[in-house]
Amino acid sequence: MRIDKQVLQSFLQEVKVESQSPDDPVVVLHTPYPWELVGTGNYAAVFAHPDYPPVVIKLYAPGRPGWENEIEVYRKLGETRSFPICYDSGEGYLVIKRMNGISLFDCVRFGIPIPPRVIEDVEEALEEARKKGLFPHDVHGKNVLMNQGRGYLIDVSDYYKNIPDSKWRDLRKAYYKVYLPFLKDRGWKIPLWVLDGVRKGYRSYKKAWRLFQ
């Protein structure tokens, strides 16, 4: 699905996104009406328009690299059940299929059970990506969605990086060893400050581990 060219051009001229630090999410200074901000990452922000609900625009902040690589990743993935589809692209932006669902991060936060089928779906999707010559990278709880008991992935921007990344392997291990036996069916809501503490602790642990390799 393509967005009307005039609507798209008007959005690109009016929106204001900047990267204030490479280690922090980009900052959206202005979102033109009636667009809405869906989310932000370290490279780009994602926007939606009410007249085009099946798609979103991923807009890279000026000076942030990677949009050309991400377009190539989507080209290699093609049409697939587990990943978004890139319908259109231009300098610094991509028009992508909007994936519905709730992230695994929010499932844990709000006490929503995550069935094993979701984890199995992600495993199968990552293997599919590898067979297409890609290198799944930065797969974590905020980049995996659950919808009607099935798993889907979003944000494939780093799948071209052929470097080790253990985030998903560690998350899968925590799912089977901690979440499944102790948390899945209890309905416990885990406070955001606890989850952020776990995330920051994990990041510090991985940095320290690399220093001793």
Side-chain angles (χ1 to χ4, degrees):
M1 178 180 184
R2 292 178 180 271
I3 297 175
D4 180 84
K5 190 171 294 186
Q6 288 186 333
V7 174
L8 178 59
Q9 289 303 315
S10 176
F11 166 76
L12 294 174
Q13 290 170 4
E14 295 180 35
V15 67
K16 289 183 173 56
V17 179
E18 69 176 33
S19 176
Q20 298 178 350
S21 168
D23 297 322
D24 295 317
V26 300
V27 177
V28 178
L29 302 176
H30 176 64
T31 302
Y33 180 82
W35 292 84
E36 65 174 17
L37 176 65
V38 176
T40 58
N42 285 7
Y43 298 94
V46 178
F47 301 87
H49 192 288
D51 292 341
Y52 304 92
V55 299
V56 292
I57 286 186
K58 182 172 183 178
L59 180 66
Y60 277 70
R64 298 301 290 158
W67 60 272
E68 293 170 304
N69 291 318
E70 185 168 359
I71 292 170
E72 179 63 14
V73 168
Y74 277 115
R75 187 192 67 78
K76 289 186 176 182
L77 282 174
E79 291 199 24
T80 172
R81 185 202 74 83
S82 306
F83 297 97
I85 300 168
C86 182
Y87 295 114
D88 194 10
S89 61
E91 186 170 354
Y93 75 88
L94 296 83
V95 179
I96 305 169
K97 178 181 178 181
R98 185 169 191 171
M99 305 293 278
N100 297 315
I102 182 171
S103 71
L104 299 195
F105 181 90
D106 282 339
C107 284
V108 175
R109 181 183 175 190
F110 298 116
I112 300 171
I114 305 168
R117 177 72 255 183
V118 172
I119 307 302
E120 295 164 9
D121 283 341
V122 174
E123 285 289 295
E124 293 170 5
L126 297 181
E127 183 59 28
E128 178 185 2
R130 294 186 189 101
K131 288 180 179 178
K132 293 179 177 179
L134 297 169
F135 310 96
H137 191 87
D138 200 31
V139 181
H140 51 74
K142 291 186 177 181
N143 286 345
V144 178
L145 301 182
M146 181 179 75
N147 189 26
Q148 298 183 345
R150 302 299 301 271
Y152 302 86
L153 291 105
I154 56 175
D155 193 359
V156 300
S157 58
D158 288 331
Y159 279 33
Y160 68 94
K161 296 179 179 179
N162 187 8
I163 55 178
D165 182 35
S166 62
K167 292 187 187 70
W168 173 251
R169 183 186 65 198
D170 295 339
L171 181 61
R172 182 188 60 193
K173 186 182 299 183
Y175 174 85
Y176 285 110
K177 290 191 173 183
V178 179
Y179 179 84
L180 198 58
F182 301 112
L183 298 176
K184 178 178 176 292
D185 296 317
R186 296 184 181 273
W188 290 344
K189 297 180 180 181
I190 309 300
L192 183 59
W193 66 268
V194 172
L195 293 176
D196 282 339
V198 171
R199 179 177 57 85
K200 292 176 181 178
Y202 172 81
R203 184 180 297 176
S204 298
Y205 163 76
K206 298 303 288 189
K207 287 182 179 180
W209 177 260
R210 284 194 293 270
L211 290 176
F212 291 99
Q213 296 301 298

